[in-house]
Amino acid sequence: ETAQGLLEQYAELHSLEAQRKSILEQSEELEATLQSRIRTLQEQVDGCADGEDKDRLMKEDEKRKVEESLATLAIKIAEWQAYEGLKTQGNDAGRRVPAGTSNAKLILAKAKASASEEANVIEERPATPVVHVPESELAQLVQALSQDDYQAKTAAAKEIYSASAPKQDWDIRRRLFDMGVVPMLVSILSQQDAPGELVKYAGCIIAHIARNVDYRTHIHEQGAIPPLVALLASRCHQEGDPDGVLEAADSALVNLCNSMDDIRAEVVGRDAVQYAVQQIGDGSIVMLASKTTCLALTLLRCLLFSDNPERSKEAARRCPVEKIAPMLKLLGARKGSEFGETAERTASIAINIAWSLSSLSRDSPEHQNRIRSEDGIPLLVSLLQGPGLQDFALGAALVSTLANVTVDNEMNAKEICKARGVGPLLRVLLEPSGLGTTLSTRQS
């Protein structure tokens, strides 16, 4: 029990370290962007020919954007300072904090939140350069969404989708929200005869807006969950995702459920766990090249995690045990996919599967036993000895899974011994730097 506790603590502390690195990277990137933007704005102001142009460039909208951006940076810095404070209160950097201390419990709670929540937010890359959409033009696009002409709706939705992407003008999502776009998008998702392309853009725009935690409750109250889950239910068994609707629905649900346990509980209650795991099919290796598979497993991992033990068990209960086999099959492909075009996606898929198996084995003895009967334990051990040593995120998930799969399960503990898993686990305990030699902070 002591060894298992240390293993869990070690894996979760590594997750907190990933959170620290991520905050630092985001802070540095945001600060550089802000400095560049401020310099550009200052140059434009200084180069104005007359006072009228100067007033135009320094209008309230521009000043508010800079102020809000600086506020966001301040929040990131505060998060980092809070982490440093916790680490200082606990122990020196690089030393493990005793599991019995209150500081250790707080750190581990933050690590678990980091590993299971913040990493789940979908990151998307825009295809077009960053542009600022004038208020009048944006209002016209939103108004077009209420028209009966599907072609006009689709064209407007496409423009809004491109403009609201995460790397575009971040303020545009607030403006869209204030213009009342959410009910229009929910209406589109609910229309049975709406073109797939239009539905895809509607789902993606909701995913973009839901990146802001302040808007998630409103999106939920507008009735977005039933049509999004219905899209999963109607398409999760199909081969491929030609119109991108599944990807859009998966992305929207992941972002809506992130840090919102009540929304997550409703999504689970509508059988979204089953619809998410169905998207991996039979675990064929061709699924590794599918972005839909990657997003579906991100959603599965998100739905299986909850701070409420009863809700976690309910989510695990809704995951069909027969899907353990295809999950393990896809996880096994990680060993042979170190390079190539699908390497990054394969790594993400493996991490999400491992964390999902960790949650399932913690909350369901039936899933524990199925992992053993499908020869999953030797696979987990072999991955810990191979890719898990170089990929921190995968290694932490594998350690967590091996710990949970043995809880009140003597047969699984013996299976780990039989698979020669004690040695790799001891090496993780005694040589923690081995797991993080070339640590990757990839958690998505």
Side-chain angles (χ1 to χ4, degrees):
E1 291 179 357
T2 302
Q4 179 180 323
L6 288 172
L7 285 171
E8 293 176 345
Q9 179 182 337
Y10 173 69
E12 293 177 327
L13 285 176
H14 266 301
S15 296
L16 184 57
E17 181 65 14
Q19 170 82 346
R20 180 185 69 84
K21 291 181 180 179
S22 176
I23 291 173
L24 276 178
E25 291 172 357
Q26 292 177 36
S27 298
E28 293 171 355
E29 181 182 352
L30 182 56
E31 184 176 15
T33 301
L34 288 174
Q35 290 298 331
S36 175
R37 186 169 182 176
I38 291 171
R39 284 196 299 271
T40 301
L41 184 60
Q42 187 61 51
E43 290 172 0
Q44 291 176 323
V45 172
D46 294 340
C48 289
D50 52 50
E52 183 178 347
D53 286 341
K54 184 173 181 177
D55 291 340
R56 177 177 58 81
L57 288 169
M58 290 299 293
K59 58 186 178 180
E60 289 299 319
D61 185 56
E62 291 292 333
K63 289 192 291 185
R64 176 181 45 74
K65 284 189 209 177
V66 174
E67 291 170 356
E68 292 183 0
S69 296
L70 289 171
T72 301
L73 176 60
I75 291 172
K76 292 295 182 184
I77 293 173
E79 290 176 354
W80 162 240
Q81 291 174 340
Y83 167 81
E84 284 293 323
L86 283 172
K87 190 168 67 174
T88 301
Q89 294 170 21
N91 249 333
D92 294 335
R95 295 172 58 190
R96 284 174 289 186
V97 183
T101 67
S102 59
N103 287 332
K105 292 178 181 178
L106 184 55
I107 290 174
L108 292 179
K110 284 183 172 289
K112 184 174 290 186
S114 168
S116 303
E117 289 295 332
E118 297 306 326
N120 286 328
V121 178
I122 299 300
E123 293 284 348
E124 298 179 38
R125 298 289 189 269
T128 55
V130 176
V131 292
H132 178 75
V133 181
E135 199 80 7
S136 58
E137 181 179 337
L138 189 62
Q140 290 176 358
L141 291 172
V142 171
Q143 185 178 9
L145 293 179
S146 62
Q147 296 181 9
D148 295 331
D149 184 355
Y150 277 140
Q151 186 174 358
K153 275 186 176 182
T154 302
K158 183 177 181 179
E159 291 294 324
I160 294 173
Y161 160 75
S162 297
S164 64
K167 295 298 182 180
Q168 293 285 10
D169 181 6
W170 56 269
D171 186 56
I172 200 169
R173 295 190 284 279
R174 179 196 61 79
R175 293 157 61 198
L176 286 168
F177 182 85
D178 291 344
M179 289 180 182
V181 76
V182 172
M184 300 180 188
L185 297 172
V186 173
S187 175
I188 291 172
L189 294 174
S190 305
Q191 294 169 9
Q192 299 293 326
D193 58 343
E197 185 180 17
L198 174 58
V199 175
K200 175 188 73 173
Y201 288 133
C204 286
I205 297 168
I206 284 181
H208 293 168
I209 296 174
R211 289 172 61 85
N212 187 320
V213 66
D214 296 330
Y215 300 153
R216 293 171 194 163
T217 298
H218 175 77
I219 295 172
H220 174 229
E221 291 173 348
Q222 291 298 316
I225 300 302
L228 285 170
V229 176
L231 289 172
L232 295 188
S234 64
R235 295 166 181 259
C236 65
H237 296 282
Q238 71 181 21
E239 184 175 348
D241 184 27
D243 51 16
V245 171
L246 271 176
E247 288 184 18
D250 285 332
S251 299
L253 288 170
V254 167
N255 288 353
L256 284 168
C257 292
N258 183 31
S259 302
M260 306 295 290
D261 211 46
D262 289 340
I263 296 179
R264 184 191 293 108
E266 179 180 341
V267 174
V268 169
R270 293 180 179 275
D271 273 337
V273 170
Q274 180 180 168
Y275 304 144
V277 77
Q278 288 292 346
Q279 293 178 55
I280 71 173
D282 61 357
S284 170
I285 195 170
V286 299
M287 305 302 289
L288 295 176
S290 168
K291 184 180 178 182
T292 303
T293 301
C294 188
L295 290 172
L297 287 167
T298 303
L299 176 60
L300 177 65
R301 171 184 167 185
C302 178
L303 295 178
L304 290 174
F305 175 84
S306 173
D307 287 325
N308 185 318
E310 293 304 316
R311 287 181 172 179
S312 290
K313 290 179 181 178
E314 175 63 17
R317 185 186 68 80
R318 291 175 179 269
C319 183
V321 291
E322 58 268 20
K323 281 299 178 180
I324 292 294
M327 289 172 70
L328 290 170
K329 188 176 178 181
L330 274 178
L331 183 60
R334 175 68 176 89
K335 291 189 291 184
S337 301
E338 303 298 327
F339 307 101
E341 295 179 359
T342 62
E344 187 74 16
R345 189 166 292 163
T346 301
S348 179
I349 286 173
I351 292 164
N352 284 318
I353 290 177
W355 280 117
S356 296
L357 291 175
S358 175
S359 295
L360 289 170
S361 57
R362 178 195 63 212
D363 296 318
S364 168
E366 190 176 6
H367 288 88
Q368 275 188 342
N369 294 330
R370 183 58 71 96
I371 291 173
R372 182 187 70 250
S373 65
E374 296 289 349
D375 293 327
I377 290 177
L379 171 62
L380 294 169
V381 172
S382 66
L383 285 169
L384 183 59
Q385 291 174 304
L389 293 176
Q390 285 77 44
D391 187 337
F392 146 70
L394 178 60
L398 292 169
V399 170
S400 179
T401 304
L402 286 169
N404 285 333
V405 82
T406 60
V407 174
D408 298 325
N409 196 317
E410 186 177 351
M411 291 185 66
N412 282 359
K414 290 180 178 178
E415 189 67 22
I416 289 180
C417 295
K418 183 179 176 182
R420 299 183 178 180
V422 175
L425 288 170
L426 283 174
R427 281 194 290 274
V428 170
L429 262 179
L430 302 176
E431 301 177 23
S433 60
L435 186 60
T437 303
T438 55
L439 294 186
S440 164
T441 58
R442 181 174 54 249
Q443 279 285 327
S444 59

